[in-house]
């Protein structure tokens, strides 16, 4: 059965049809930026802003659908992105968490192909070898999650990675690098939509970085509220290096240094 019976005449109708097809509600992303990205993709693929023809094309062509989804979700990332903030995490945040806990529960929300997850795992392995932990890595894009599970990366992904971390926790395979099994053992990757799916509870640290930049202000408000609920008292939210949370007092989240927010009891 066709997912759409009526001809798609405009952007709004395309957004509705795409939500039925993919589960991704583009209305929760900033319209100007999203529209521009979508129109660029459609035009570059020869559809000249003909939403109807483009929708029929992605419905019948998995490769084009995947390329479009990837274009929308923007999954650029790297290991130790904003290295100085990972240093703060290593020297201040994790030691603070370890004072009261034997087991730490982490979540990388919008983890792309896993670089952020393995960055955190390498810090735990290198500096906190006696602390038990789990890391949940989630993303809406199943293609990046596939790469995350394989754990194979290009050299350019490691531009900010300390050399000793690369040598200890990755194997060189031809001209790429593969995560060693020792780093994978406490990690689970799962598909998850931050705008619609249920959140697990009891996290000590949630890293949600460079994910919300295209979300509307309303969508961000709801998201930060849900993150606050998902954290254990004393747990931390780690945001991207351009992302500030407004109205954070209402959320029981207190800023404790740039881009780290702590849940108040
Ligand atoms: C730019 S990457 C950020 C990766 C990593 N956190 C970092 O800072 O380098 C943004 C990721 O957010 C994911 N994303 C976008 N919308 C999402 C949603 N509604 N739910 C879950 N993930 C989403 C994208 O698929 C993409 O992999």
């Amino acid at each position: 059965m066709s997912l759409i019976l009526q001809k798609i005449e405009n952007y709004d109708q395309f957004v509705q049809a795409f939500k039925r097809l993919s589960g991704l509600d583009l209305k929760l992303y900033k319209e100007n930026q999203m529209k521009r990205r979508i129109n660029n993709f459609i035009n570059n693929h020869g559809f000249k802003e003909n939403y109807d023809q483009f929708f029929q094309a992605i419905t019948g062509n998995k490769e084009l659908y995947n390329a479009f989804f990837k274009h929308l979700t923007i999954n650029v990332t790297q290991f130790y992105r904003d290295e100085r903030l990972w240093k703060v995490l290593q020297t201040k945040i994790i030691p603070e968490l370890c004072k009261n806990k034997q087991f730490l529960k982490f979540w990388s929300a919008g983890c792309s192909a896993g670089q952020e997850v393995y960055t955190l795992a390498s810090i735990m392995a290198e500096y906190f070898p006696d602390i038990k932990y789990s890391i949940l890595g989630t993303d809406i894009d199943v293609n990046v999650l596939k790469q995350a599970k394989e754990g194979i990366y290009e050299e350019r992904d490691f531009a900010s990675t300390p050399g000793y971390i690369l040598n200890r926790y990755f194997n060189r395979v031809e001209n790429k690098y593969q995560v060693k099994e020792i780093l994978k053992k406490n990690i689970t990757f799962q598909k998850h939509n931050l705008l619609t799916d249920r959140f697990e509870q009891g996290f000590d640290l949630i890293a949600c970085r460079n994910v919300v930049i295209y979300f509307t202000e309303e969508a961000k408000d709801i998201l930060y509220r849900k993150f606050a609920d998902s954290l254990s008292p004393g747990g931390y939210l780690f945001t991207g290096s351009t992302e500030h949370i407004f109205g954070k007092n209402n959320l029981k989240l207190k800023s404790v240094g740039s881009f780290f927010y702590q849940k108040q009891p």
Side-chain angles (χ1 to χ4, degrees):
M1 191 184 77
S2 167
L3 274 153
I4 185 95
L5 302 170
Q6 280 181 332
K7 191 168 190 288
I8 299 173
E9 306 274 6
N10 54 40
Y11 179 77
D12 283 346
Q13 290 177 4
F14 176 79
V15 166
Q16 282 171 28
F18 189 70
K19 186 178 172 191
R20 283 195 291 272
L21 179 68
S22 68
L24 184 62
D25 187 354
L26 296 170
K27 278 238 159 313
L28 299 171
Y29 292 74
K30 288 180 186 152
E31 182 168 328
N32 285 349
Q33 282 103 322
M34 210 28 110
K35 200 170 185 176
R36 201 175 328 120
R37 285 190 79 74
I38 290 174
N39 288 343
N40 280 344
F41 189 95
I42 292 182
N43 292 339
N44 289 341
H45 286 77
F47 292 91
K48 289 206 179 128
E49 287 184 34
N50 185 326
Y51 293 114
D52 193 60
Q53 277 181 14
F54 179 68
F55 188 79
Q56 301 307 331
I58 50 173
T59 309
N61 179 340
K62 189 82 189 145
E63 220 169 279
L64 185 64
Y65 171 88
N66 284 342
F68 180 58
F69 200 90
K70 186 170 179 188
H71 178 77
L72 291 183
T73 52
I74 315 157
N75 30 45
V76 176
T77 182
Q78 60 168 213
F79 293 90
Y80 286 82
R81 185 177 193 172
D82 309 312
E83 205 184 343
R84 128 195 107 77
L85 297 179
W86 290 100
K87 202 78 196 161
V88 174
L89 188 85
Q90 177 215 315
T91 55
K92 298 212 162 71
I93 306 289
I94 297 179
E96 198 58 41
L97 286 170
C98 290
K99 278 184 191 163
N100 310 316
K101 300 236 177 181
Q102 314 296 323
F103 185 95
L104 298 180
K105 186 171 163 177
F106 300 122
W107 178 16
S108 164
C111 66
S112 191
Q115 290 88 334
E116 185 172 274
V117 171
Y118 294 121
T119 297
L120 184 52
S122 68
I123 289 174
M124 291 309 290
E126 186 67 20
Y127 301 102
F128 307 93
D130 300 329
I131 301 292
K132 299 208 171 358
Y133 67 92
S134 66
I135 310 178
L136 173 65
T138 63
D139 201 281
I140 195 171
D141 183 348
V142 286
N143 293 308
V144 287
L145 289 172
K146 191 164 167 265
Q147 189 192 348
K149 285 177 195 162
E150 282 166 6
I152 300 175
Y153 300 96
E154 305 284 339
E155 190 160 0
R156 63 169 178 266
D157 291 325
F158 296 94
S160 309
T161 306
Y164 59 91
I165 294 282
L166 184 58
N167 291 337
R168 263 179 230 170
Y169 300 105
F170 296 84
N171 288 320
R172 196 170 174 126
V173 182
E174 293 170 7
N175 56 349
K176 298 194 176 184
Y177 289 88
Q178 180 159 36
V179 179
K180 288 189 182 171
E181 287 306 313
I182 183 168
L183 220 54
K184 285 185 166 180
K185 62 183 182 206
N186 305 313
I187 295 173
T188 311
F189 289 106
Q190 257 173 32
K191 183 180 179 211
H192 181 273
N193 183 345
L194 288 165
L195 297 169
T196 51
D197 290 340
R198 204 182 60 81
F199 286 16
E200 257 184 53
Q201 304 293 305
F203 290 103
D204 298 298
L205 176 91
I206 299 174
C208 184
R209 315 184 59 235
N210 309 298
V211 177
V212 303
I213 20 177
Y214 299 104
F215 290 6
T216 62
E217 290 309 313
E218 296 74 30
K220 277 194 238 180
D221 281 353
I222 295 171
L223 183 66
Y224 287 133
R225 214 162 280 283
K226 286 170 77 181
F227 279 147
D229 287 344
S230 265
L231 285 168
S232 292
Y236 294 88
L237 176 66
F238 178 18
T239 66
S241 63
T242 55
E243 296 155 5
H244 299 275
I245 301 180
F246 298 106
K248 45 199 174 285
N249 291 335
N250 299 340
L251 292 173
K252 292 196 180 160
L253 287 174
K254 185 178 158 212
S255 174
V256 287
S258 304
F259 315 110
F260 289 96
Y261 298 86
Q262 188 174 30
K263 179 167 176 177
Q264 303 304 293

